[in-house]
Amino acid sequence: MQQCSANGSTRSAQITARAPGSRSKLDPWTRSMSAPMREGPHRGQPPSMLWIRGEIVPDLPQELWPPARGRQIFGTELRRWRQTRDLSLRQLAPLTHHSYSLLSRVEKGERTPSADLARHADSALDTGGALLRLWNLSSTSQPRSSRSAAGHQLTPVGWTVDTLTALSDLRKGDVDIERRSVLRAAGYSIAALALPGHSWWDAMVLRGAGRSSRGGRRISAGDLEAIRETVDMFTRIDQRRGGGHARSAVVQYLTSDVAGALTATHASDEIRRGLFSTAGELAYLSGWMAFDNAEHVAAQRHFTVAVQLAAEADDPPLAGHILRAMAHQAVDLGHHRQAAELAKASLAGPRSRLATHRERALLEVVHAKALAGNGQKAAASRALLRAEDQLAAAGPGDEEPGRMFFFGEASLAHETACTLRDLGDLPAATAQFHQSVRTRKATTFTRTHAVTLGYLGQIQARQGAAEEACATWSTALDAMDGVTSARTRQTAVDMRPVLATFRSRGVQAAHEVDQRAANYLAAATH
């Protein structure tokens, strides 16, 4: 049984009506990385993570935490902004309504600044509120989180390396093909899917706000726009040609040009945050391309760095987008419990609340897919309804981030179909795959179009429609021409055993399609 909405989308009878008050409670670490910076909810104590020798380390017992650290970071930023505006301390003092001697001691980290000083300095130096946000964060208390027996907060090892160090290290492992083949076989880490707690996100925002350089290249708004245009170009190449095409160029650009820009002087805090967000999108893209090409260890490393960059940029929706990709990868690799946890985290707090309707639809449908894989049928059905409602609420005037250009009716139908397939509703899944094929711009989103057709053919074959499956797979192979993707290769691999069965039953079309699949796979491995 299916119900068709007025716009033509199909809802399976599997999708139950949502119950009042069915919204799930947030998991214990859902407070956004940006909450302290915007709201400063915990006052009177320092952040629970420190930066020592370029790494985030667990919090120290309260009596050992150096209060001077927060003062030093604030003072350094105040001095950087003052020098950027070409003002002396004596010129700045009357503009902030504070004395020269007080400002001097604040800059040296010898005196704790007040919120009033931060506000006046923001106004005088035109920082866009950067100093008050930094003051809010440096005055926050330790949030609750998991602790060791010694009372230290536990942070998963993979998240403790400095962001820019981790970014630099990507170059060592990913650029040459021989090294990538080793990484592909080295093993995907389930342990690395454990996410850090509140204090890590807080520390990352503080670290981002404290980054500055006084020499070398100055990054302007025009430089940031040029980098964004390049990221958009690479994104469109991936959608059309697959993750195996030009990924080494993406990694090279990320770890050279973009990494250099991150350590340069930034014209404003807004540009710094925009640059770190854009770098996060590019690191996410390189990770997604690796995932698409079955380079799962490389993908995991890139996703981790992408989350770190998003955290330093104080960009919760981007962090949610990347966590969603990590959940998608975990689903495909069969780690269903971890996938469900990652997908839930992607929707937590401002990651979802500050995202557009279109992006929330993406987060919800991947959550549904993860829940289905984890055996949570009713919850998956409710998530599908939420995804459909969110996309319906999206309007043409919405200001969407560039990373969302691919997601629309066709993508929602594809992910919905995968979820319904995993829930066992093959007729509804078939209808949704057909909807995806009909509504997708195949020349722009060629890779996903080929994968959708491959999945549709599998379901048709399971339902005994041999001729239809052969026709669908033939169209899929047409779309695969020029695409370099492990996911398209896998669809070709998966169809061949079924085609062999069809051949034995005398299905004539199966011979030609099987030969084409064999030729595609032979060409793809050379």
Side-chain angles (χ1 to χ4, degrees):
M1 295 289 291
Q2 299 168 4
Q3 297 175 340
C4 296
S5 62
N7 65 5
S9 62
T10 303
R11 293 193 181 193
S12 165
Q14 297 265 1
I15 307 179
T16 58
R18 71 194 89 186
S22 61
R23 183 174 299 172
S24 61
K25 294 181 179 179
L26 296 179
D27 55 70
W29 54 271
T30 56
R31 184 168 55 83
S32 160
M33 65 190 86
S34 64
M37 191 168 265
R38 292 199 173 98
E39 302 169 13
H42 303 288
R43 307 279 177 169
Q45 291 180 331
S48 59
M49 302 292 281
L50 305 177
W51 284 85
I52 297 177
R53 295 177 184 176
E55 294 192 0
I56 301 177
V57 299
D59 61 322
L60 302 174
Q62 187 65 36
E63 65 273 13
L64 297 181
W65 195 91
R69 181 58 173 149
R71 296 199 300 265
Q72 289 167 355
I73 292 175
F74 186 94
T76 297
E77 280 300 287
L78 176 62
R79 183 184 303 109
R80 183 177 71 84
W81 279 107
R82 177 177 60 77
Q83 291 173 343
T84 298
R85 301 300 184 230
D86 198 24
L87 291 174
S88 68
L89 275 172
R90 294 195 182 279
Q91 290 172 321
L92 178 61
L95 300 178
T96 64
H97 307 288
H98 287 78
S99 68
Y100 162 84
S101 61
L102 174 64
L103 289 181
S104 177
R105 294 184 67 187
V106 168
E107 282 198 359
K108 294 174 182 177
E110 297 173 354
R111 181 75 179 267
T112 300
S114 65
D116 184 66
L117 187 154
R119 278 191 292 268
H120 281 101
D122 276 332
S123 176
L125 298 172
D126 192 22
T127 70
L131 293 172
L132 183 59
R133 289 199 302 271
L134 183 58
W135 181 90
N136 277 335
L137 186 57
S138 64
S139 66
T140 58
S141 68
Q142 278 187 313
R144 297 178 185 175
S145 54
S146 300
R147 294 181 177 277
S148 68
H152 295 176
Q153 180 174 348
L154 302 177
T155 298
V157 174
W159 301 93
T160 61
V161 179
D162 174 62
T163 305
L164 299 187
T165 300
L167 177 60
S168 177
D169 287 345
L170 292 180
R171 183 189 306 133
K172 301 174 184 177
D174 290 356
V175 173
D176 65 51
I177 296 174
E178 291 183 2
R179 175 60 176 156
R180 291 213 306 272
S181 68
V182 172
L183 285 173
R184 185 184 293 116
Y188 171 85
S189 172
I190 300 176
L193 297 180
L195 296 177
H198 288 188
S199 54
W200 181 87
W201 300 96
D202 297 345
M204 294 300 282
V205 177
L206 179 60
R207 178 58 172 172
R211 288 196 188 274
S212 63
S213 174
R214 297 187 184 85
R217 181 184 174 194
R218 183 175 184 272
I219 302 299
S220 65
D223 296 320
L224 175 57
E225 184 61 28
I227 293 172
R228 283 174 173 162
E229 288 175 358
T230 306
V231 173
D232 288 345
M233 177 194 70
F234 281 131
T235 300
R236 282 164 171 75
I237 290 173
D238 167 65
Q239 287 290 337
R240 184 169 185 181
R241 297 302 181 189
H245 184 84
R247 196 178 90 79
S248 60
V250 172
V251 174
Q252 178 65 25
Y253 183 64
L254 171 65
T255 57
S256 57
D257 296 56
V258 176
L262 293 174
T263 59
T265 300
H266 308 126
S268 68
D269 187 61
E270 180 182 3
I271 288 176
R272 178 198 64 80
R273 291 177 61 195
L275 182 60
F276 271 74
S277 286
T278 304
E281 291 201 19
L282 186 60
Y284 150 75
L285 175 62
S286 64
W288 184 261
M289 295 173 79
F291 159 64
D292 182 61
N293 207 38
E295 300 173 49
H296 291 295
V297 175
Q300 192 172 36
R301 293 171 67 235
H302 283 251
F303 286 151
T304 300
V305 173
V307 172
Q308 290 177 276
L309 289 163
E312 289 207 25
D314 187 24
D315 191 342
L318 175 58
H321 190 90
I322 301 160
L323 293 175
R324 178 275 318 171
M326 295 171 69
H328 194 141
Q329 182 186 27
V331 168
D332 280 18
L333 294 177
H335 305 302
H336 299 298
R337 180 179 62 81
Q338 292 86 355
E341 292 172 354
L342 285 165
K344 182 180 180 181
S346 76
L347 284 157
R351 294 173 204 146
S352 173
R353 189 176 68 248
L354 298 180
T356 64
H357 289 295
R358 188 177 304 276
E359 191 152 37
R360 288 203 293 272
L362 172 61
L363 302 182
E364 289 285 8
V365 78
V366 174
H367 190 206
K369 187 176 180 180
L371 291 168
N374 202 40
Q376 298 173 256
K377 184 175 181 179
S381 298
R382 291 192 295 270
L384 286 180
L385 286 175
R386 291 194 297 270
E388 186 174 314
D389 290 346
Q390 287 294 338
L391 187 60
D398 293 349
E399 188 175 343
E400 300 283 354
R403 61 182 175 267
M404 287 305 301
F405 91 101
F406 76 95
F407 190 80
E409 184 180 359
S411 295
L412 178 62
H414 172 94
E415 297 298 345
T416 299
C418 290
T419 303
L420 294 171
R421 175 200 62 198
D422 295 344
L423 291 172
D425 191 344
L426 297 188
T430 300
Q432 288 293 308
F433 277 132
H434 275 299
Q435 176 80 353
S436 181
V437 171
R438 284 195 303 269
T439 56
R440 180 175 288 109
K441 296 179 181 178
T443 56
T444 302
F445 307 105
T446 311
R447 183 258 319 279
T448 307
H449 189 64
V451 173
T452 301
L453 288 165
Y455 292 170
L456 174 59
Q458 285 286 351
I459 290 184
Q460 290 169 331
R462 288 171 63 181
Q463 293 176 307
E467 295 289 350
E468 290 182 25
C470 288
T472 299
W473 281 334
S474 179
T475 306
L477 289 164
D478 290 340
M480 290 178 198
D481 185 31
V483 173
T484 307
S485 164
R487 289 193 289 167
T488 59
R489 291 194 297 273
Q490 190 60 49
T491 61
V493 168
D494 291 343
M495 71 176 68
R496 294 205 67 201
V498 183
L499 288 167
T501 301
F502 289 166
R503 289 203 330 263
S504 68
R505 295 177 184 174
V507 179
Q508 292 300 314
H511 292 272
E512 179 186 355
V513 177
D514 187 44
Q515 185 59 54
R516 290 185 62 198
N519 293 342
Y520 170 76
L521 290 170
T525 56
H526 288 85

